[in-house]
Amino acid sequence: QVQVVESGGGSVQPGGSLSLSCAASGSFVSIGVMGWYRQAPGKERELVASIITGGIPSYADSVKGRFTISRDKNTVYLQMSSVKPEDTAVYYCFRTVVGRTYWGQGTQVTVSS
């Protein structure tokens, strides 16, 4: 089975930067889609970014130009730059392979002055 472990959350000031990492283990670790959803209190869950096996990224309009997703086989990274208060949320890493989605435990990102 697939396990997904994420790290790198924390607090940062507006305009600052931080990085998230997510490592998947188990079957088919080098293929499939990986990325992050985020959810803030009272808000809809939002797909932030994803990346396929070949390394082609996709971003939500709200983070384009500010976030960068990259992948090294079973590990995916989210570099968050020029962060805004509205980026505050719990970020959930995911891996989708063979039609099944596996989730990380979630990590809190807080952007505040």
Side-chain angles (χ1 to χ4, degrees):
Q1 68 175 39
V2 173
Q3 292 186 331
V4 180
V5 179
E6 59 186 293
S7 62
S11 297
V12 64
Q13 294 185 208
S17 300
L18 76 165
S19 296
L20 307 181
S21 298
C22 181
S25 62
S27 300
F28 307 105
V29 295
S30 297
I31 64 173
V33 180
M34 294 185 67
W36 279 269
Y37 280 85
R38 68 185 180 187
Q39 188 161 29
K43 302 289 187 179
E44 297 266 331
R45 184 180 63 179
E46 178 184 28
L47 177 60
V48 177
S50 63
I51 188 166
I52 63 175
T53 303
I56 306 301
S58 182
Y59 300 97
D61 288 342
S62 58
V63 306
K64 284 181 179 177
R66 300 188 299 114
F67 292 8
T68 301
I69 190 169
S70 60
R71 182 171 183 168
D72 180 14
K73 293 188 178 180
N74 67 320
T75 304
V76 66
Y77 308 91
L78 186 68
Q79 175 65 44
M80 306 169 63
S81 301
S82 302
V83 296
K84 304 174 180 179
E86 51 263 44
D87 294 322
T88 297
V90 177
Y91 285 69
Y92 295 93
C93 182
F94 72 91
R95 170 175 165 78
T96 299
V97 60
V98 198
R100 296 182 177 88
T101 299
Y102 304 85
W103 296 93
Q105 76 278 13
T107 186
Q108 177 71 47
V109 172
T110 301
V111 182
S112 63
S113 301

